[in-house]
Amino acid sequence: MDIWKLRGGSRLEGQCFVQGSKNASLPIIAASLICPAETELNNVPRLRDVDSALKILRHLGCCAEQRGNDVYINSTGISENKIPHALMLEMRSSVIFMGALLARCGEARLSLPGGCQLGKRPIDIHISALRKMGAEIDEDGSNIYCRAAKLRGCELFLPFPSVGATENIMLTASAAEGETVIKGAAREPEIEALAEYMRRLGCNVIGDGTDTIIISGTKPKAQLCYRVISDRIVAATLACAAACAGGDVELRSVDAGHFSTVLHFLKQAGCDIICDKHTVRLRSDGKLYGVGDVCTQPYPGFPTDAQPVLMAALLKAQGRTIITENIFENRYRQAEQLCRLGADIQIDGRVAKINGVERLVGVRLEATDLRGGAAMIVAGLNADGDTEIFDEGHIKRGYENLDQVLRSLGADIKLL
Ligand code: UD1
């Protein structure tokens, strides 16, 4: 059990580098399987989910190790197409191995993935697309068995721009005969990162970043190197922490365009924000204003992953904020815990109404999930007295050395 101990009231000052993106790293690690190659990845965060993805690769017969923030993968000697249930449960992204194994082996045996409990999280869009590409898929509610004698490119229309489904289809399409056109594709920066990695691996991918992605075949390269993009949700979390605690913080090695919707609301809340090519400087006196309506949407809309941390930043803001969560049906699990600090949050289905309060007072909380746990840290930094967050390891799934980063900015936080 991790225990995060923090005392609110310190301003955050200084500069810090933002880690590489978890949600970009994981699909790229899976993608390293699609053809025999030696991959070097740089700027990979040291996280439990990354360890889990590398464990899966090793189980499949690859060499895979992380040294600092570099990952080395040799996927020439793959010997297995089955991922054990225990490894699948370690994270949500394990489902992307379905497309990667199908592309490489024509066969994949796995089970339903784990990850944060944010709602039902079905994988029907993944499965129906892969079936259209020629895969036979048997699933019994817990195990999935896919095989394809031949994969064929086709035109696919996604009913929702699912990030995971888009990734799975891109990987499967790399081994398909002919062209695969994904219409209604996810446009997240992590999709562009995966496409860029696949291009370096020798795949033909165009249109990533738009809603139509076209993949047509692969001429594999033996060796390649790729630097992972920075983590826009970690950047958003640090920006939200500085906004409500007050301070003057420079986030380095970020792409402001990737979290511009979050910065937009922080500006509206009263922060002074200057964006440069790879830095964002945020100044705040800690006195924020409610921002009215915030709706989570697929990219380029406001990200669901930043919803809990923005909520936490605005708990003491003067006025009201109304959040509508459009991506996951159960993404307010942090709210009950935040109310224990004295917050005024009313939840009605997908809508959360936050009325700013004068004071938050530190208490003992329980981290509910990855971003919900991060939200409790943001709120604790803005509460009077001591907050303790009991966490079964959720926060470390997505944040590398978060205690150290916040301490370097002046926060009073310890991880026991
Ligand atoms: C990814 C991210 C996650 C982020 C989410 C939305 C990773 C590891 N995770 O998750 O952090 O919160 O994108 O930006 O990159 N859906 C279906 N059927 C499907 C697939 C999805 O109904 O087959 C629904 C889901 O239940 C959810 C919504 O679509 O309500 C979004 O899911 P999706 O975009 O697939 O998210 P993930 O890839 O799971």
Side-chain angles (χ1 to χ4, degrees), residues 23 92-93 121-126 162-164 305 327-328:
N23 288 351
R92 173 77 191 166
S93 273
R121 303 190 89 175
I123 55 165
D124 54 314
I125 304 175
H126 307 230
S162 155
V163 176
D305 284 357
I327 309 295
F328 293 107

Side-chain angles (χ1 to χ4, degrees), residues 249-378:
V249 163
E250 187 174 273
L251 304 177
R252 293 190 164 177
S253 139
V254 290
D255 187 331
H258 289 172
F259 63 117
S260 59
T261 46
V262 181
L263 295 175
H264 163 82
F265 284 116
L266 292 178
K267 257 186 211 166
Q268 208 177 308
C271 301
D272 182 19
I273 297 174
I274 305 166
C275 302
D276 221 329
K277 194 151 184 258
H278 295 296
T279 59
V280 168
R281 181 171 176 194
L282 182 145
R283 280 176 290 186
S284 166
D285 59 8
K287 294 189 181 69
L288 301 181
Y289 299 93
V291 296
D293 290 313
V294 179
C295 297
T296 65
Q297 299 286 357
Y299 194 84
F302 184 85
T304 174
D305 284 357
Q307 175 264 105
V309 289
L310 183 70
M311 173 189 273
L314 295 174
L315 296 176
K316 280 167 58 178
Q318 192 186 324
R320 210 180 211 211
T321 300
I322 300 175
I323 300 179
T324 306
E325 171 57 60
N326 291 307
I327 309 295
F328 293 107
E329 57 274 17
N330 185 18
R331 199 150 202 186
Y332 290 132
R333 294 172 70 210
Q334 75 282 359
E336 197 185 321
Q337 298 291 310
L338 297 177
C339 287
R340 300 184 56 218
L341 296 170
D344 176 357
I345 307 168
Q346 289 151 36
I347 308 283
D348 183 6
R350 289 186 176 269
V351 178
K353 290 184 183 144
I354 300 130
N355 288 307
V357 292
E358 288 281 312
R359 251 184 114 199
L360 299 172
V361 180
V363 286
R364 179 184 159 155
L365 302 176
E366 260 170 57
T368 45
D369 58 87
L370 165 55
R371 307 300 170 189
M376 289 168 213
I377 291 188
V378 171

Side-chain angles (χ1 to χ4, degrees), residues 9 25 36 49 52 65 76 83-84 90 107-109 112 116 132 154 174 176 188 227 232 237 243 279 283 299:
S25 299
D49 277 14
S52 304
E65 63 165 327
T76 40
I83 305 178
E90 287 187 14
E107 199 169 353
R109 292 162 205 265
L112 288 175
C116 290
K132 281 202 187 115
C154 61
S174 70
E188 269 70 359
R227 183 178 170 81
R232 63 195 169 103
T237 304
T279 59
R283 280 176 290 186
Y299 194 84

Side-chain angles (χ1 to χ4, degrees), residues 68-287:
N69 291 113
D70 301 323
V71 161
Y72 302 90
I73 300 165
N74 182 337
S75 66
T76 40
I78 164 171
S79 55
E80 173 68 86
N81 59 34
K82 180 169 187 231
I83 305 178
H85 186 58
L87 288 179
M88 285 300 295
L89 278 185
E90 287 187 14
M91 59 165 180
R92 173 77 191 166
S93 273
S94 52
V95 74
I96 311 301
F97 281 91
M98 178 162 70
L101 279 170
L102 207 50
R104 179 71 180 271
C105 311
E107 199 169 353
R109 292 162 205 265
L110 51 164
S111 49
L112 288 175
C116 290
Q117 300 304 315
L118 311 175
K120 292 196 287 286
R121 303 190 89 175
I123 55 165
D124 54 314
I125 304 175
H126 307 230
I127 291 196
S128 85
L130 269 45
R131 280 190 177 137
K132 281 202 187 115
M133 298 175 76
E136 280 174 53
I137 305 178
D138 298 325
E139 44 144 1
D140 62 8
S142 57
N143 297 304
I144 309 170
Y145 175 43
C146 325
R147 64 206 167 279
K150 192 173 195 176
L151 290 164
R152 45 178 193 273
C154 61
E155 195 170 67
L156 299 162
F157 297 86
L158 305 193
F160 182 86
S162 155
V163 176
T166 303
E167 290 165 347
N168 246 331
I169 298 166
M170 288 167 73
L171 298 186
T172 308
S174 70
E177 198 178 283
E179 197 171 83
T180 302
V181 180
I182 314 174
K183 293 202 164 158
R187 298 165 59 186
E188 269 70 359
E190 294 77 19
I191 297 286
E192 290 185 80
L194 176 63
E196 177 56 25
Y197 171 80
M198 289 176 69
R199 281 190 284 271
R200 293 199 193 174
L201 197 56
C203 305
N204 296 316
V205 185
I206 56 171
D208 47 293
T210 76
D211 63 2
T212 305
I213 302 178
I214 304 173
I215 304 108
S216 57
T218 307
K219 286 198 198 89
K221 303 256 166 50
Q223 271 186 333
L224 71 153
C225 193
Y226 175 80
R227 183 178 170 81
V228 173
I229 59 171
S230 65
D231 196 308
R232 63 195 169 103
I233 306 302
V234 172
T237 304
L238 295 170
C240 285
C244 66
D248 183 350
V249 163
E250 187 174 273
L251 304 177
R252 293 190 164 177
S253 139
V254 290
D255 187 331
H258 289 172
F259 63 117
S260 59
T261 46
V262 181
L263 295 175
H264 163 82
F265 284 116
L266 292 178
K267 257 186 211 166
Q268 208 177 308
C271 301
D272 182 19
I273 297 174
I274 305 166
C275 302
D276 221 329
K277 194 151 184 258
H278 295 296
T279 59
V280 168
R281 181 171 176 194
L282 182 145
R283 280 176 290 186
S284 166
D285 59 8
K287 294 189 181 69

